[in-house]
Amino acid sequence: MRILLINQGHTDNLGDRAIAETMTDLVRSEYPDANIVSMPYIPDEQPTDMAAEKTKPVQFCSEERNSALRKIVRGVKRAIRNRGAEPLHEHYERVIRERLGNESFDFAVIGGGELIKGNKHPFYYSLLAWTTVLMERGCPVALLGVSSDARFTRQECRELHDALSKCTRVMVRDKKTVDVFMNQLHVTCGYAPDVVFSYRFLHRQDNGMPSDKDHDAVCVYSYHELTEALKNRYTLHEYYEMWYQLMLQHVKHPVKLLYTTYSDYCESTRFQQWMHDEKHVDCTLASIDDTSDYLKELSDCDTLISGRMHSMIFALQYGTQIVPIPIKSKLATFKQEWQNNAFDWKQTGSEVCEVYRHEILALTD
């Protein structure tokens, strides 16, 4: 049996890597002898990892450009770069056909993550391209554990409806996306929490959790990845001040700065220097290159303040209290559905695992 997994687990984002690892483990548990092939959701994306990215120097320039002007400049550069170029959806379809060659698969799994996007986002064209090419080859497709940012034009709604309707199984990871699929895209879908909620259950890591936790942690979300609305609300100095005030409000132990993306590593490095210069406070910057490094840091962490969803999904499973900062809409959804200090990772992890296994097995029924 040959199985194709399509996801964002090829980048420095440890949350995306955790999704890919967990989905692979789930598929492998049901089809232990299968040949599992993994490819990036953005077809021409080049693999990166945290350790390699961290060899680059961190820029400490804090110059703040006008956000509107920056957006115009980016648009002009993109227009010049794309002038006369192959349309993106055609480019992606061609790249996928070239990468697949003559290979055939028994089924494909796309997901999870916030993959359903509009506004001409690359993810939008990725979904259209993958479903088109795989349908040409008669390959059943399951779209599992995904969510949506819910910003689409009418044409995007129509095209996403057509693409999603081609999928054999569709399952989303939050109630907000259920509503988007039903009322905007008019697609029937199932629901289960993010697949990474089953990570600890699958890895059977029951031991080694210290009873005395001696530090708190902060994951500072990259300032440059904020939406334009938030950048207009905060200067960089004000943004750091917000995180400092959160620390004063919620931490009781020495603070360690954690991160799950390279951009957050850079921001944490700059924030560490700002804390030293402006507040005369020294924070420890963790050394994290992969998921196992992050989990080791959680082992003696009492409270985590974070704007990254998967950093908190892990924290819930490993006995760390969380303070979600809803920088993005999916964080607000996460906070509403999953901020629960009484979270039973064994029971819930098992239940999440079983739902995904059922969806995967259904592809060969």
Side-chain angles (χ1 to χ4, degrees), residues 215-300:
H215 76 270
D216 295 316
V218 177
C219 290
V220 181
Y221 191 95
S222 169
Y223 178 77
H224 296 291
E225 289 188 22
L226 294 178
T227 64
E228 295 298 332
L230 285 174
K231 284 180 183 176
N232 291 335
R233 184 187 306 175
Y234 300 109
T235 65
L236 183 60
H237 177 86
E238 291 168 343
Y239 183 64
Y240 286 168
E241 184 68 33
M242 179 198 76
W243 286 98
Y244 175 64
Q245 292 301 322
L246 287 167
M247 290 168 56
L248 293 179
Q249 182 179 355
H250 294 285
V251 305
K252 301 185 285 291
H253 307 291
V255 171
K256 185 175 285 190
L257 301 177
L258 309 185
Y259 47 88
T260 56
T261 71
Y262 172 67
S263 59
D264 286 2
Y265 160 74
C266 294
E267 206 66 77
S268 296
T269 303
R270 292 187 284 261
F271 181 71
Q272 181 189 38
Q273 188 65 51
W274 181 88
M275 286 287 290
H276 175 80
D277 295 342
E278 297 289 331
K279 304 299 181 182
H280 309 294
V281 174
D282 291 324
C283 300
T284 302
L285 180 64
S287 177
I288 299 172
D289 289 337
D290 54 34
T291 303
S292 62
D293 290 338
Y294 180 76
L295 294 179
K296 288 177 184 176
E297 294 294 345
L298 279 183
S299 65
D300 58 354

Coordinates of all heavy atoms in Angstrom, one line a residue, residues 215-300:
H215 N 10.0 27.2 37.1 CA 10.0 28.4 36.3 C 8.7 28.5 35.5 O 8.0 27.6 35.3 CB 11.3 28.4 35.3 CG 11.2 27.5 34.2 ND1 11.6 26.2 34.2 CD2 10.7 27.7 32.9 CE1 11.4 25.6 33.0 NE2 10.8 26.5 32.2
D216 N 8.5 29.7 35.0 CA 7.4 30.0 34.1 C 8.0 30.3 32.7 O 9.2 30.5 32.5 CB 6.6 31.2 34.5 CG 5.9 30.9 35.9 OD1 5.3 29.8 36.0 OD2 5.9 31.8 36.8
A217 N 7.2 30.3 31.7 CA 7.7 30.5 30.3 C 6.8 31.5 29.5 O 5.6 31.6 29.8 CB 7.7 29.2 29.6
V218 N 7.4 32.1 28.6 CA 6.7 33.1 27.7 C 7.1 32.8 26.2 O 8.3 32.6 26.0 CB 7.0 34.5 28.0 CG1 6.4 35.5 27.0 CG2 6.6 34.9 29.4
C219 N 6.1 32.6 25.4 CA 6.4 32.5 23.9 C 6.0 33.8 23.3 O 4.8 34.0 23.1 CB 5.6 31.3 23.3 SG 6.2 29.7 23.8
V220 N 6.9 34.7 23.0 CA 6.6 36.0 22.4 C 6.3 35.8 20.9 O 7.2 35.4 20.1 CB 7.8 37.0 22.6 CG1 7.4 38.3 22.0 CG2 8.1 37.1 24.1
Y221 N 5.1 36.1 20.5 CA 4.7 36.0 19.1 C 5.4 37.1 18.2 O 5.6 38.2 18.6 CB 3.2 36.2 19.0 CG 2.6 35.8 17.7 CD1 2.1 34.6 17.5 CD2 2.6 36.8 16.6 CE1 1.5 34.3 16.2 CE2 2.0 36.4 15.4 CZ 1.4 35.2 15.2 OH 0.9 34.9 14.0
S222 N 5.9 36.7 17.1 CA 6.6 37.6 16.2 C 5.9 38.8 15.9 O 4.7 38.8 15.4 CB 7.0 36.8 14.9 OG 7.5 37.7 13.9
Y223 N 6.5 40.0 16.2 CA 5.8 41.3 15.9 C 5.6 41.4 14.4 O 4.5 42.0 14.0 CB 6.7 42.4 16.4 CG 6.2 43.8 16.1 CD1 5.2 44.3 16.9 CD2 6.7 44.6 15.1 CE1 4.7 45.6 16.7 CE2 6.2 45.8 14.9 CZ 5.2 46.3 15.7 OH 4.7 47.6 15.4
H224 N 6.5 41.0 13.6 CA 6.3 41.2 12.1 C 5.3 40.3 11.5 O 4.9 40.5 10.4 CB 7.7 41.0 11.4 CG 8.7 42.0 11.8 ND1 8.6 43.3 11.5 CD2 9.8 41.9 12.6 CE1 9.6 44.0 12.0 NE2 10.3 43.2 12.7
E225 N 4.8 39.3 12.3 CA 3.7 38.4 11.8 C 2.3 38.9 12.3 O 1.3 38.2 11.9 CB 4.0 37.0 12.2 CG 5.1 36.3 11.5 CD 5.2 34.8 11.8 OE1 4.2 34.2 12.2 OE2 6.3 34.3 11.6
L226 N 2.3 39.9 13.0 CA 1.0 40.4 13.5 C 0.2 40.9 12.3 O 0.8 41.3 11.3 CB 1.2 41.6 14.4 CG 1.9 41.3 15.8 CD1 2.0 42.6 16.6 CD2 1.0 40.3 16.6
T227 N -1.1 40.9 12.4 CA -2.0 41.5 11.4 C -1.7 43.0 11.4 O -1.2 43.6 12.3 CB -3.4 41.3 11.7 OG1 -3.8 41.9 13.0 CG2 -3.7 39.8 11.9
E228 N -2.1 43.7 10.3 CA -1.9 45.1 10.2 C -2.7 45.8 11.3 O -2.2 46.9 11.8 CB -2.4 45.6 8.8 CG -1.5 45.0 7.6 CD -0.1 45.5 7.7 OE1 0.2 46.6 8.2 OE2 0.8 44.7 7.2
A229 N -3.8 45.3 11.6 CA -4.6 46.0 12.7 C -3.9 46.0 14.0 O -3.9 47.1 14.7 CB -6.0 45.2 12.9
L230 N -3.2 45.0 14.3 CA -2.4 45.0 15.6 C -1.2 45.8 15.5 O -0.8 46.4 16.5 CB -2.1 43.5 16.0 CG -3.3 42.7 16.5 CD1 -2.8 41.3 16.8 CD2 -3.8 43.3 17.8
K231 N -0.6 45.8 14.3 CA 0.6 46.7 14.2 C 0.3 48.1 14.3 O 1.1 49.0 14.7 CB 1.3 46.4 12.8 CG 2.1 45.1 12.8 CD 2.7 44.8 11.5 CE 3.4 43.5 11.4 NZ 4.0 43.2 10.1
N232 N -1.0 48.5 13.8 CA -1.4 49.9 14.0 C -1.7 50.2 15.4 O -1.7 51.4 15.8 CB -2.6 50.1 13.1 CG -2.3 50.1 11.6 OD1 -1.2 50.3 11.2 ND2 -3.3 49.8 10.8
R233 N -2.0 49.1 16.2 CA -2.3 49.4 17.6 C -1.1 49.5 18.5 O -1.1 50.3 19.5 CB -3.2 48.2 18.2 CG -3.7 48.4 19.6 CD -4.4 47.1 20.1 NE -5.4 46.7 19.3 CZ -6.1 45.6 19.5 NH1 -5.8 44.8 20.5 NH2 -7.1 45.2 18.6
Y234 N -0.1 48.8 18.2 CA 1.1 48.7 19.0 C 2.4 49.1 18.2 O 2.6 48.6 17.1 CB 1.4 47.3 19.5 CG 0.4 46.7 20.4 CD1 -0.4 45.7 19.9 CD2 0.2 47.2 21.7 CE1 -1.4 45.1 20.7 CE2 -0.8 46.6 22.5 CZ -1.6 45.6 22.0 OH -2.5 45.0 22.8
T235 N 3.2 50.1 18.7 CA 4.5 50.2 18.2 C 5.3 49.0 18.8 O 4.8 48.2 19.7 CB 5.2 51.4 18.7 OG1 5.3 51.4 20.2 CG2 4.4 52.7 18.3
L236 N 6.5 48.7 18.3 CA 7.3 47.6 18.8 C 7.5 47.7 20.3 O 7.4 46.7 21.1 CB 8.6 47.5 18.1 CG 9.5 46.3 18.5 CD1 8.8 45.0 18.2 CD2 10.8 46.4 17.7
H237 N 7.8 48.9 20.8 CA 8.1 49.2 22.2 C 6.8 48.9 23.0 O 6.8 48.2 24.1 CB 8.5 50.6 22.5 CG 8.7 50.9 23.9 ND1 9.9 50.7 24.6 CD2 7.8 51.5 24.8 CE1 9.7 51.0 25.8 NE2 8.5 51.5 26.0
E238 N 5.6 49.3 22.5 CA 4.4 49.1 23.2 C 4.0 47.6 23.2 O 3.4 47.1 24.1 CB 3.3 49.9 22.5 CG 3.4 51.4 22.7 CD 2.5 52.2 21.8 OE1 2.0 51.6 20.8 OE2 2.2 53.4 22.1
Y239 N 4.4 46.9 22.1 CA 4.1 45.5 22.0 C 4.9 44.7 23.1 O 4.4 43.9 23.8 CB 4.5 45.0 20.6 CG 4.2 43.5 20.3 CD1 2.9 43.0 20.4 CD2 5.3 42.6 20.0 CE1 2.7 41.7 20.1 CE2 5.0 41.3 19.8 CZ 3.7 40.8 19.8 OH 3.5 39.5 19.5
Y240 N 6.2 45.0 23.2 CA 7.0 44.4 24.2 C 6.5 44.8 25.6 O 6.5 44.0 26.6 CB 8.5 44.9 24.1 CG 9.2 44.2 23.0 CD1 10.5 44.7 22.5 CD2 8.7 43.1 22.3 CE1 11.2 44.1 21.5 CE2 9.4 42.5 21.2 CZ 10.6 43.0 20.8 OH 11.3 42.5 19.8
E241 N 6.0 46.0 25.8 CA 5.5 46.4 27.1 C 4.3 45.6 27.5 O 4.1 45.2 28.6 CB 5.1 47.9 27.1 CG 4.7 48.5 28.4 CD 5.7 48.5 29.4 OE1 6.9 48.8 29.1 OE2 5.4 48.4 30.6
M242 N 3.5 45.2 26.4 CA 2.3 44.4 26.7 C 2.7 43.0 27.2 O 2.2 42.5 28.2 CB 1.5 44.2 25.4 CG 0.3 43.3 25.6 SD -0.4 42.6 24.0 CE 0.8 41.3 23.7
W243 N 3.7 42.4 26.6 CA 4.2 41.1 27.1 C 4.8 41.2 28.5 O 4.6 40.3 29.4 CB 5.3 40.6 26.2 CG 4.7 40.0 24.9 CD1 4.6 40.7 23.7 CD2 4.0 38.8 24.7 NE1 3.9 39.9 22.8 CE2 3.6 38.7 23.4 CE3 3.8 37.7 25.5 CZ2 2.9 37.6 22.9 CZ3 3.1 36.6 25.0 CH2 2.7 36.5 23.7
Y244 N 5.5 42.3 28.8 CA 6.1 42.5 30.1 C 5.0 42.6 31.2 O 5.1 42.0 32.2 CB 6.9 43.8 30.1 CG 7.5 44.2 31.5 CD1 8.4 43.3 32.1 CD2 7.1 45.4 32.1 CE1 8.9 43.7 33.4 CE2 7.5 45.7 33.4 CZ 8.4 44.9 34.0 OH 8.9 45.2 35.2
Q245 N 3.9 43.4 30.9 CA 2.8 43.5 31.8 C 2.1 42.1 32.0 O 1.7 41.8 33.1 CB 1.8 44.5 31.3 CG 2.3 45.9 31.3 CD 2.7 46.4 32.7 OE1 2.1 46.1 33.7 NE2 3.8 47.2 32.7
L246 N 2.0 41.3 31.0 CA 1.5 40.0 31.1 C 2.3 39.1 32.1 O 1.8 38.4 32.9 CB 1.3 39.3 29.8 CG 0.2 39.8 28.9 CD1 0.4 39.2 27.4 CD2 -1.1 39.4 29.4
M247 N 3.6 39.3 32.0 CA 4.5 38.6 32.9 C 4.3 39.0 34.3 O 4.2 38.2 35.2 CB 6.0 38.8 32.4 CG 6.4 38.2 31.1 SD 7.9 38.8 30.4 CE 9.0 38.4 31.8
L248 N 4.2 40.3 34.5 CA 4.0 40.8 35.9 C 2.7 40.2 36.5 O 2.6 40.0 37.7 CB 3.9 42.3 35.9 CG 5.2 43.1 35.6 CD1 5.0 44.6 35.6 CD2 6.3 42.7 36.6
Q249 N 1.7 40.1 35.6 CA 0.4 39.6 36.1 C 0.3 38.1 36.3 O -0.4 37.7 37.3 CB -0.7 40.0 35.0 CG -2.1 39.6 35.4 CD -3.1 40.0 34.3 OE1 -2.7 40.7 33.3 NE2 -4.3 39.7 34.4
H250 N 1.0 37.3 35.6 CA 0.8 35.9 35.6 C 2.0 35.0 36.1 O 1.7 33.9 36.5 CB 0.4 35.4 34.2 CG -0.9 35.9 33.7 ND1 -2.1 35.5 34.2 CD2 -1.2 36.9 32.8 CE1 -3.1 36.1 33.5 NE2 -2.5 37.0 32.7
V251 N 3.2 35.5 36.1 CA 4.3 34.6 36.4 C 4.6 34.7 37.9 O 4.5 35.8 38.5 CB 5.5 34.9 35.6 CG1 5.2 34.8 34.1 CG2 6.2 36.2 35.9
K252 N 5.1 33.6 38.5 CA 5.5 33.5 39.9 C 6.9 33.1 40.1 O 7.5 33.1 41.1 CB 4.5 32.6 40.7 CG 3.1 33.0 40.6 CD 2.2 32.1 41.5 CE 1.9 30.8 40.9 NZ 1.1 30.8 39.7
H253 N 7.5 32.6 39.0 CA 8.9 32.0 39.0 C 9.8 32.7 38.0 O 9.3 33.5 37.2 CB 8.8 30.5 38.6 CG 7.8 29.7 39.5 ND1 8.0 29.5 40.8 CD2 6.6 29.1 39.1 CE1 7.0 28.7 41.2 NE2 6.1 28.5 40.2
P254 N 11.1 32.4 38.0 CA 11.9 33.0 37.0 C 11.4 32.6 35.6 O 10.8 31.5 35.4 CB 13.3 32.3 37.2 CG 13.2 32.0 38.7 CD 11.8 31.6 39.0
V255 N 11.6 33.5 34.6 CA 11.0 33.3 33.3 C 12.0 32.8 32.3 O 13.2 33.3 32.2 CB 10.4 34.7 32.8 CG1 10.0 34.6 31.3 CG2 9.2 35.1 33.7
K256 N 11.6 31.9 31.5 CA 12.3 31.4 30.4 C 11.6 31.7 29.1 O 10.3 31.5 29.1 CB 12.6 29.9 30.5 CG 13.5 29.3 29.4 CD 13.9 27.8 29.7 CE 14.9 27.7 30.8 NZ 15.4 26.3 30.9
L257 N 12.3 32.1 28.1 CA 11.6 32.4 26.8 C 11.7 31.2 25.9 O 12.8 30.7 25.6 CB 12.4 33.6 26.1 CG 12.4 34.9 26.9 CD1 13.2 36.0 26.2 CD2 11.0 35.4 27.2
L258 N 10.5 30.7 25.5 CA 10.4 29.6 24.6 C 9.9 30.0 23.2 O 9.4 31.2 23.1 CB 9.4 28.5 25.2 CG 9.6 28.1 26.6 CD1 8.6 26.9 27.0 CD2 11.0 27.6 26.9
Y259 N 10.0 29.2 22.3 CA 9.5 29.5 20.9 C 9.3 28.2 20.1 O 9.9 27.2 20.4 CB 10.6 30.4 20.2 CG 12.0 29.8 20.3 CD1 12.5 28.9 19.4 CD2 12.8 30.2 21.4 CE1 13.8 28.4 19.6 CE2 14.1 29.7 21.6 CZ 14.6 28.8 20.7 OH 15.8 28.3 20.8
T260 N 8.4 28.3 19.2 CA 8.1 27.1 18.3 C 8.3 27.4 16.8 O 8.0 26.6 16.0 CB 6.7 26.6 18.6 OG1 5.8 27.6 18.4 CG2 6.6 26.0 20.0
T261 N 8.7 28.7 16.5 CA 9.0 29.0 15.1 C 10.3 29.8 15.1 O 10.7 30.4 16.1 CB 7.9 29.9 14.5 OG1 7.9 31.2 15.1 CG2 6.6 29.3 14.7
Y262 N 11.0 29.9 13.9 CA 12.2 30.7 13.8 C 11.9 32.2 14.0 O 12.7 32.9 14.7 CB 12.9 30.5 12.5 CG 14.0 31.4 12.2 CD1 15.2 31.3 13.0 CD2 13.9 32.4 11.2 CE1 16.3 32.2 12.8 CE2 15.0 33.2 11.0 CZ 16.2 33.1 11.8 OH 17.2 34.0 11.6
S263 N 10.8 32.7 13.5 CA 10.5 34.1 13.7 C 10.3 34.4 15.1 O 10.6 35.5 15.6 CB 9.2 34.4 12.8 OG 8.1 33.7 13.2
D264 N 9.7 33.5 15.9 CA 9.5 33.7 17.3 C 10.8 33.6 18.1 O 11.0 34.3 19.1 CB 8.5 32.7 17.9 CG 7.1 33.0 17.5 OD1 6.9 34.0 16.8 OD2 6.2 32.3 18.0
Y265 N 11.7 32.8 17.6 CA 13.1 32.8 18.2 C 13.8 34.1 18.0 O 14.3 34.6 19.0 CB 13.9 31.7 17.5 CG 15.4 31.9 17.7 CD1 16.0 31.6 18.9 CD2 16.2 32.3 16.6 CE1 17.4 31.8 19.0 CE2 17.6 32.5 16.7 CZ 18.2 32.2 18.0 OH 19.5 32.4 18.1
C266 N 13.7 34.7 16.8 CA 14.3 36.0 16.6 C 13.6 37.1 17.5 O 14.3 37.9 18.1 CB 14.1 36.4 15.1 SG 15.0 35.4 14.0
E267 N 12.3 37.0 17.6 CA 11.6 38.0 18.5 C 12.0 37.8 19.9 O 12.1 38.8 20.7 CB 10.1 37.9 18.3 CG 9.3 39.1 18.6 CD 9.6 40.2 17.6 OE1 9.1 40.2 16.5 OE2 10.4 41.1 17.9
S268 N 12.1 36.6 20.4 CA 12.5 36.3 21.7 C 13.9 36.8 22.0 O 14.2 37.3 23.1 CB 12.4 34.8 22.0 OG 11.1 34.3 21.9
T269 N 14.8 36.7 21.1 CA 16.1 37.2 21.2 C 16.1 38.7 21.4 O 16.8 39.3 22.3 CB 17.0 36.8 20.0 OG1 17.0 35.4 19.9 CG2 18.4 37.3 20.2
R270 N 15.3 39.4 20.6 CA 15.2 40.9 20.7 C 14.5 41.3 22.0 O 14.9 42.2 22.6 CB 14.4 41.4 19.5 CG 15.2 41.3 18.1 CD 14.4 42.0 17.0 NE 13.3 41.2 16.5 CZ 13.3 40.4 15.5 NH1 14.4 40.3 14.7 NH2 12.2 39.8 15.1
F271 N 13.4 40.5 22.4 CA 12.7 40.8 23.6 C 13.6 40.6 24.8 O 13.6 41.4 25.8 CB 11.5 39.9 23.7 CG 10.6 40.1 24.9 CD1 9.9 41.3 25.1 CD2 10.6 39.2 26.0 CE1 9.1 41.5 26.2 CE2 9.8 39.4 27.1 CZ 9.1 40.6 27.2
Q272 N 14.4 39.6 24.8 CA 15.4 39.3 25.9 C 16.3 40.5 26.1 O 16.5 41.0 27.2 CB 16.2 38.1 25.6 CG 17.2 37.7 26.7 CD 18.2 36.6 26.2 OE1 18.6 36.6 25.1 NE2 18.5 35.7 27.1
Q273 N 16.8 41.1 25.0 CA 17.7 42.3 25.0 C 16.9 43.5 25.5 O 17.4 44.3 26.3 CB 18.3 42.6 23.7 CG 19.3 43.6 23.7 CD 20.6 43.2 24.5 OE1 21.1 42.2 24.3 NE2 21.0 44.1 25.4
W274 N 15.6 43.6 25.0 CA 14.8 44.8 25.5 C 14.5 44.7 27.0 O 14.6 45.7 27.7 CB 13.5 44.7 24.7 CG 12.5 45.8 25.0 CD1 12.5 47.1 24.4 CD2 11.5 45.8 26.0 NE1 11.5 47.8 25.0 CE2 10.8 47.1 25.9 CE3 11.0 44.9 26.9 CZ2 9.7 47.4 26.8 CZ3 9.9 45.2 27.7 CH2 9.3 46.4 27.6
M275 N 14.2 43.5 27.5 CA 14.0 43.3 28.9 C 15.2 43.7 29.7 O 15.1 44.3 30.8 CB 13.6 41.9 29.2 CG 12.2 41.5 28.8 SD 11.0 42.2 29.9 CE 11.2 41.2 31.4
H276 N 16.4 43.3 29.2 CA 17.6 43.7 29.9 C 17.9 45.2 29.9 O 18.2 45.8 31.0 CB 18.8 43.0 29.3 CG 20.1 43.3 29.9 ND1 20.6 42.8 31.0 CD2 21.1 44.2 29.4 CE1 21.8 43.3 31.3 NE2 22.1 44.2 30.3
D277 N 17.7 45.8 28.7 CA 18.0 47.3 28.6 C 16.9 48.1 29.2 O 17.2 49.2 29.9 CB 18.1 47.6 27.1 CG 19.3 46.9 26.5 OD1 20.2 46.5 27.2 OD2 19.3 46.9 25.2
E278 N 15.6 47.8 29.1 CA 14.5 48.7 29.5 C 14.0 48.4 30.9 O 13.7 49.3 31.7 CB 13.3 48.5 28.5 CG 13.6 49.0 27.1 CD 13.8 50.5 27.0 OE1 13.1 51.2 27.8 OE2 14.5 50.9 26.1
K279 N 14.0 47.1 31.3 CA 13.5 46.7 32.6 C 14.5 46.2 33.6 O 14.2 45.9 34.7 CB 12.4 45.7 32.4 CG 11.3 46.1 31.5 CD 10.5 47.3 31.9 CE 9.4 47.7 31.0 NZ 8.7 48.9 31.4
H280 N 15.7 46.1 33.1 CA 16.8 45.5 33.9 C 16.5 44.2 34.5 O 16.7 43.9 35.7 CB 17.2 46.5 35.0 CG 17.4 47.9 34.5 ND1 18.5 48.2 33.7 CD2 16.7 49.1 34.7 CE1 18.4 49.5 33.4 NE2 17.3 50.0 34.0
V281 N 15.8 43.4 33.7 CA 15.4 42.0 34.0 C 16.1 41.1 33.1 O 16.0 41.3 31.8 CB 13.9 41.8 34.0 CG1 13.5 40.4 34.2 CG2 13.2 42.7 35.0
D282 N 16.7 40.0 33.6 CA 17.4 39.0 32.7 C 16.5 37.8 32.6 O 16.1 37.2 33.6 CB 18.7 38.6 33.3 CG 19.7 39.7 33.2 OD1 19.7 40.5 32.2 OD2 20.6 39.9 34.1
C283 N 16.1 37.4 31.4 CA 15.4 36.2 31.1 C 16.3 35.2 30.4 O 17.1 35.6 29.6 CB 14.2 36.5 30.2 SG 13.0 37.7 30.9
T284 N 16.0 34.0 30.6 CA 16.8 32.9 30.0 C 16.1 32.6 28.6 O 14.9 32.4 28.6 CB 16.8 31.6 30.8 OG1 17.4 31.9 32.1 CG2 17.6 30.5 30.1
L285 N 16.9 32.5 27.6 CA 16.4 32.1 26.3 C 16.7 30.6 26.1 O 17.9 30.2 26.1 CB 17.1 32.9 25.2 CG 16.7 32.6 23.7 CD1 15.2 33.0 23.5 CD2 17.5 33.4 22.7
A286 N 15.7 29.8 25.9 CA 15.8 28.4 25.8 C 16.5 28.0 24.5 O 16.5 28.8 23.5 CB 14.5 27.7 25.8
S287 N 17.1 26.8 24.5 CA 17.7 26.3 23.3 C 16.8 25.2 22.7 O 16.7 24.1 23.2 CB 19.1 25.7 23.6 OG 19.7 25.2 22.4
I288 N 16.1 25.6 21.6 CA 15.1 24.7 21.1 C 15.3 24.5 19.6 O 15.3 25.5 18.8 CB 13.7 25.2 21.3 CG1 13.4 25.4 22.8 CG2 12.6 24.3 20.6 CD1 12.1 26.1 23.1
D289 N 15.6 23.3 19.2 CA 15.8 23.0 17.8 C 14.7 22.1 17.2 O 14.5 22.0 16.0 CB 17.1 22.3 17.5 CG 18.3 23.2 17.7 OD1 18.1 24.5 17.6 OD2 19.4 22.8 18.0
D290 N 14.0 21.3 18.1 CA 12.9 20.4 17.6 C 11.9 20.2 18.7 O 12.0 20.8 19.8 CB 13.6 19.1 17.2 CG 14.4 18.4 18.3 OD1 14.1 18.6 19.5 OD2 15.4 17.8 18.0
T291 N 10.9 19.4 18.4 CA 9.8 19.2 19.3 C 10.2 18.6 20.6 O 9.7 19.0 21.7 CB 8.7 18.2 18.6 OG1 8.3 18.8 17.4 CG2 7.5 18.1 19.5
S292 N 11.2 17.7 20.6 CA 11.6 17.1 21.9 C 12.3 18.1 22.8 O 12.1 18.1 24.0 CB 12.6 15.9 21.6 OG 13.7 16.4 20.9
D293 N 13.0 19.1 22.2 CA 13.6 20.1 23.0 C 12.5 21.0 23.6 O 12.6 21.4 24.8 CB 14.5 21.1 22.1 CG 15.7 20.4 21.6 OD1 16.2 19.4 22.3 OD2 16.3 20.8 20.6
Y294 N 11.5 21.3 22.9 CA 10.4 22.1 23.5 C 9.7 21.3 24.6 O 9.4 21.9 25.7 CB 9.4 22.4 22.4 CG 8.2 23.3 22.9 CD1 8.4 24.6 23.2 CD2 7.0 22.7 23.1 CE1 7.3 25.4 23.7 CE2 5.9 23.4 23.6 CZ 6.1 24.8 23.9 OH 5.1 25.5 24.4
L295 N 9.4 20.1 24.4 CA 8.8 19.3 25.5 C 9.6 19.2 26.7 O 9.1 19.2 27.9 CB 8.4 17.9 24.9 CG 7.4 17.9 23.8 CD1 7.1 16.4 23.4 CD2 6.1 18.5 24.3
K296 N 10.9 19.1 26.6 CA 11.8 19.1 27.7 C 11.7 20.4 28.5 O 11.7 20.4 29.8 CB 13.3 18.9 27.3 CG 13.6 17.5 26.8 CD 15.0 17.4 26.3 CE 15.3 16.0 25.7 NZ 16.7 15.9 25.2
E297 N 11.6 21.5 27.8 CA 11.4 22.8 28.5 C 10.1 22.9 29.2 O 10.0 23.5 30.3 CB 11.5 23.9 27.4 CG 12.9 24.1 26.8 CD 13.9 24.5 27.8 OE1 13.6 25.0 28.9 OE2 15.1 24.4 27.4
L298 N 9.1 22.2 28.7 CA 7.8 22.2 29.4 C 7.8 21.4 30.7 O 6.9 21.6 31.6 CB 6.7 21.7 28.5 CG 6.1 22.6 27.4 CD1 5.0 21.8 26.7 CD2 5.5 23.9 28.0
S299 N 8.7 20.5 30.8 CA 8.6 19.5 31.9 C 8.7 20.1 33.3 O 8.1 19.6 34.2 CB 9.8 18.5 31.7 OG 11.0 19.1 31.9
D300 N 9.4 21.2 33.4 CA 9.4 21.9 34.7 C 8.9 23.3 34.6 O 9.3 24.2 35.4 CB 10.9 21.9 35.3 CG 11.9 22.5 34.4 OD1 11.5 22.9 33.3 OD2 13.0 22.7 34.9

